Each structure stands twice: as C-alpha cells, then as structure tokens.
Amino acid sequence: MEELFADGRIVDAILVMVAIEAAALFAWMKRRGRVRLAWSLLPNLASGACLMLALRAALSDGWWGWIALCLAGSLAAHVADLAGRLRDR
C-alpha cells in the first residue's frame, strides 16, 4: 500500500473512480431530463481532476512545470465553475 502513495499511483485509482462517478451522474441526470445540470458539473470535476494530476506529479517528482500547468488548469476550471454559478443566479 505504501508504494501506491510513494509513486502517486493512488491518484490514478482516484481519477478512475471520479470518471466512473461522472459517467454515472451523467447517465442518471440524462434519464431524469436534467442534462443542463449534468454539464454544469464538468468544470467542478475538471478542477478536482487537475488538482489530483498536480498531486500525482508532485508525488512522483515530476517537473515543476507540469505541476504549475495542472494548477493553472484547475484555476481555469474553477473560474469557469464560478462564472457558471453566478450566471445561473
């Protein structure tokens, strides 16, 4: 178990679980006719995924530029999420 955390592979497992969760949410919301709500979740999921990728890069001694790019991607997705929430008000 220690190896999973030491080299960042635990993040891969978490990302797979998040992808499965997103697919399940999309399918469930689509059946309920709430496709717009499903699409509104994407920036939030993308922001979290980018943070997890930054963590993986940091745990596996990745180049600092990849970490910075992942963090910038997370910021962009977070801003898009906030803009969508404010627009819907």
Side-chain angles (χ1 to χ4, degrees):
M1 188 73 156
E2 184 178 336
E3 304 86 38
L4 287 175
F5 286 89
D7 63 5
R9 285 185 295 154
I10 190 72
V11 176
D12 297 337
I14 294 169
L15 285 170
V16 167
M17 288 187 281
V18 168
I20 292 169
E21 176 189 19
L25 279 171
F26 255 84
W28 183 69
M29 288 181 178
K30 187 174 180 179
R31 269 190 294 169
R32 299 228 182 248
R34 304 197 66 181
V35 177
R36 188 170 190 269
L37 179 61
W39 282 108
S40 70
L41 292 175
L42 281 183
N44 192 320
L45 289 169
S47 177
C50 286
L51 285 175
M52 286 187 277
L53 289 171
L55 174 63
R56 188 186 195 310
L59 288 173
S60 62
D61 293 327
W63 176 54
W64 69 268
W66 290 121
I67 298 169
L69 284 172
C70 291
L71 292 175
S74 180
L75 174 63
H78 181 64
V79 168
D81 181 44
L82 288 176
R85 290 174 192 260
L86 292 173
R87 183 182 60 238
D88 289 343
R89 285 185 151 217

